[in-house]
Amino acid sequence: MSSRSGVALAGLGVTAGSLALAEAVVRLGGTGPGPVEAVAEAFIDRTPPWLKDLAIDLFGTADKLALGVGIVVVMAGLAIAAGLAERARRLRGAAVVVVVLAVIAAAATLTRPDGGLAATWPVLACGLAGACALVAVGSAPALDPAWAMTHRKVLGRRQLLISAGAVGGVAVAGGSIMRLTGNAAPATAPAPLDLPAPVSPAAQVPEGGALDIAGLAPYETPNEEFYRIDTAFVVPRVDPATWTLRVHGLVDREVEMSLDDLLGEELVEAWVTLCCVSNQVGGDLIGNARWLGLPVRTVLERAGVRDGADMVLSRSVDGFSASTPLGVLMDDRNALLAVAMNGTELPPEHGYPVRVVVPGLYGYVSATKWLAELEVTRFADQTAYWTDRGWSARGPVKISSRIDVPRGRRSLQAGENVVAGVAWAQHTGIAAVEVRVDGGPWQPADLAEEVSVDTWRQWVYRWDAAAGDHRLEVRATGHDGEVQTEEVQGTVPDGATGLHGVDVAVA
Ligand SMILES: Nc1nc2c(c(=O)[nH]1)N[C@H]1C(S)=C(S)[C@@H](COP(=O)(O)O)O[C@H]1N2
Ligand SMILES: [Mo]
């Protein structure tokens, strides 16, 4: 092993080691976000809409894992480069890089909503310790090439040690990223909640309301398969015993509620299909669940909304916010402070213990997870998280439809083939779905029975296919007569439009 790679490995090993140590100190102390988490979240908060969408397109819901790996790779690359750039093999440059990285991570930690000094000082301390270690290693005679020529054995052993340290450090850092981003099993399951029976249960799904076709999205999306989109690099863990909801702003009296208060209320249950504004036409950032919760209206009425208010800004424990028009929270739809999803408490990834769900609006303007407060305010006075990042302040869901079967350039046999999918126009409802082949005339599809206008509706079309290459397309019509537009628009700033199509080969 050359002295050159030894120096590079020393840079890598010390950077990874300091990082892993800082992670461990902050994590074990429970004082706030670790440095990788803080940098990741600060980065996410500064991500422009096009980059956010690109990340979701490239990595889907694994975007957080990709970001974590990316941060570690960049840090490792800088550390190695700093080591390699050393002429004198003194490692002073590498030490400077470690200090700079530590200062960046410390600044990120300080600015996180759940961060602060207690989580910041270990990052700085570990960075400084790492830098000192590098200077010490660099001034040891082992890294002096002339000395090395005459002491080959010692050099080999020392470098072996350094590389072992480097590999160990990278393994620890990688392992903590996997654990932190929730890609390994969480250490503790959330406490089960004593869920009351709803005073008004969700509609029963009739036999014809849920089609069972291989490849077709089921009417109810199982919790484990429900898409997850949020800015939280690490899933917030909220203690149900100390959780409170604060309702304030343009109200006659502030309302504060504990989880026990909330669970003691008259809760209702409703089917609502949630979907993300970043969902591409034909995408899978959409799911349907049975939610149990308290109508938001109930707490707003209790607080007494003042004249002039037109928006409720819901905030989460981790600094996210959503601007929801007051009107949709006060009308008779099932806008809920939800505590359960498909019969169990919310999974941590979906907002445990309490989140908002509003039929008819994209998640970014309504569906705040890990809810902490509702501020009654005005669109003219306040802006929400994504509004500050180039997305529209209002986000009603656009009518859309998707082909689930057949998917991918599968080879079909000539003759009758099942074409099936889902269509949605939350709080309006789907009146019709049509399919066309190779740009020909629109043909009506059969709809599953309507369970609720707030959810998606499955559809099926029996297609008599002729041999050859074909393109299938779908469009939906709402109960209000609106026909899904062919006009193509991207997801920014308020949701994608256009028709979903799939290409198939028929033998
Ligand atoms: N606290 C918090 N709540 C949030 C978000 C977030 O980033 N943080 N993202 C919103 C967005 S953009 C969507 S689409 C939905 C997704 O909810 P899900 O992950 O349960 O599917 O949550 C919303 N609630
Ligand atoms: Mo979203």
Side-chain angles (χ1 to χ4, degrees):
M1 192 187 289
S2 76
S3 165
R4 201 161 225 270
S5 57
V7 166
L9 277 174
L12 176 61
V14 168
T15 306
S18 333
L19 189 62
L21 192 61
E23 282 286 346
V25 171
V26 178
R27 290 277 137 203
L28 293 179
T31 45
V36 174
E37 176 185 348
V39 169
E41 297 196 321
F43 181 83
I44 291 169
D45 282 357
R46 285 160 186 78
T47 300
W50 63 266
L51 187 57
K52 173 209 174 213
D53 262 28
L54 185 69
I56 291 176
D57 284 352
L58 286 178
F59 305 111
T61 46
D63 54 345
K64 299 206 169 67
L65 180 62
L67 176 58
V69 170
I71 287 175
V72 167
V73 167
V74 167
M75 284 191 169
L78 284 176
I80 292 175
L84 286 180
E86 297 278 340
R87 284 263 173 75
R89 309 270 187 268
R90 286 266 155 70
L91 289 174
R92 286 200 188 127
V96 170
V97 168
V98 167
V99 171
V100 169
L101 288 176
V103 169
I104 291 174
T109 312
L110 255 187
T111 54
R112 298 312 306 154
D114 52 345
L117 277 177
T120 304
W121 74 258
V123 179
L124 281 178
C126 293
L128 280 178
C132 293
L134 277 177
V135 171
V137 171
S139 47
L143 289 178
D144 177 332
W147 187 90
M149 294 300 276
T150 54
H151 296 78
R152 281 196 167 276
K153 270 193 172 160
V154 184
L155 180 63
R157 212 173 301 144
R158 183 180 284 262
Q159 291 192 334
L160 203 71
L161 220 77
I162 292 173
S163 15
V167 172
V170 168
V172 171
S176 23
I177 285 176
M178 291 296 283
R179 196 168 34 76
L180 289 180
T181 56
N183 289 285
T188 48
L193 302 180
D194 200 1
L195 299 170
V199 292
S200 114
Q204 282 284 334
V205 180
E207 211 176 307
L211 308 179
D212 187 13
I213 296 172
L216 169 64
Y219 177 73
E220 172 185 320
T221 312
N223 289 0
E224 320 74 68
E225 281 159 38
F226 210 94
Y227 80 96
R228 175 192 163 201
I229 290 291
D230 53 60
T231 63
F233 184 66
V234 173
V235 175
R237 302 281 159 171
V238 180
D239 181 359
T242 56
W243 179 87
T244 57
L245 171 68
R246 201 177 140 233
V247 185
H248 63 110
L250 296 174
V251 293
D252 294 334
R253 56 210 152 263
E254 287 199 8
V255 169
E256 199 164 300
M257 251 186 167
S258 71
L259 194 57
D260 278 345
D261 295 337
L262 182 50
L263 293 171
E265 298 277 347
E266 301 200 328
L267 305 189
V268 305
E269 194 186 43
W271 290 103
V272 178
T273 295
L274 188 63
C275 94
C276 184
V277 69
S278 293
N279 197 31
Q280 304 283 353
V281 171
D284 57 6
L285 300 180
I286 178 166
N288 183 44
R290 189 164 42 90
W291 309 93
L292 173 74
L294 180 67
V296 180
R297 190 189 326 116
T298 307
V299 293
L300 291 179
E301 279 167 358
R302 217 167 278 170
V305 173
R306 294 231 180 111
D307 285 350
D310 64 0
M311 185 259 270
V312 174
L313 195 70
S314 52
R315 290 197 183 86
S316 67
V317 300
D318 65 331
F320 171 86
S321 59
S323 53
T324 311
L326 182 64
V328 303
L329 298 176
M330 297 302 282
D331 70 19
D332 62 358
R333 81 184 73 192
N334 287 309
L336 301 178
L337 302 170
V339 289
M341 179 178 186
N342 293 328
T344 59
E345 45 279 319
L346 302 174
E349 302 77 32
H350 297 290
Y352 180 91
V354 182
R355 76 172 306 169
V356 185
V357 178
V358 182
L361 303 184
Y362 287 121
Y364 83 107
V365 286
S366 64
T368 301
K369 305 192 274 190
W370 314 292
L371 182 68
E373 58 176 274
L374 300 175
E375 180 178 354
V376 179
T377 176
R378 307 191 311 166
F379 277 104
D381 296 341
Q382 301 250 38
T383 52
Y385 184 94
W386 285 113
T387 317
D388 294 336
R389 290 161 179 81
W391 297 78
S392 167
R394 293 166 197 260
V397 171
K398 296 177 180 176
I399 184 170
S400 197
S401 54
R402 185 179 82 190
I403 300 172
D404 287 353
V405 186
R407 239 346 179 17
R409 253 196 100 85
R410 281 220 343 256
S411 276
L412 304 179
Q413 295 298 314
E416 194 185 275
N417 279 278
V418 168
V419 180
V422 283
W424 58 91
Q426 288 92 316
H427 209 57
T428 299
I430 292 296
V433 169
E434 296 162 292
V435 171
R436 75 176 174 193
V437 183
D438 302 328
W442 287 106
Q443 312 279 341
D446 293 326
L447 293 176
E449 226 171 290
E450 183 166 84
V451 181
S452 160
V453 295
D454 292 337
T455 70
W456 61 15
R457 204 163 167 186
Q458 296 168 315
W459 57 266
V460 58
Y461 174 74
R462 289 174 209 287
W463 175 40
D464 187 16
D469 289 343
H470 300 288
R471 181 165 181 80
L472 299 165
E473 287 171 299
V474 64
R475 75 171 182 192
T477 302
H479 283 312
D480 59 356
E482 182 182 351
V483 181
Q484 182 183 342
T485 178
E486 289 187 38
E487 209 170 293
V488 175
Q489 198 207 287
T491 56
V492 184
D494 61 358
T497 64
L499 301 182
H500 186 215
V502 296
D503 295 309
V504 292
V506 180

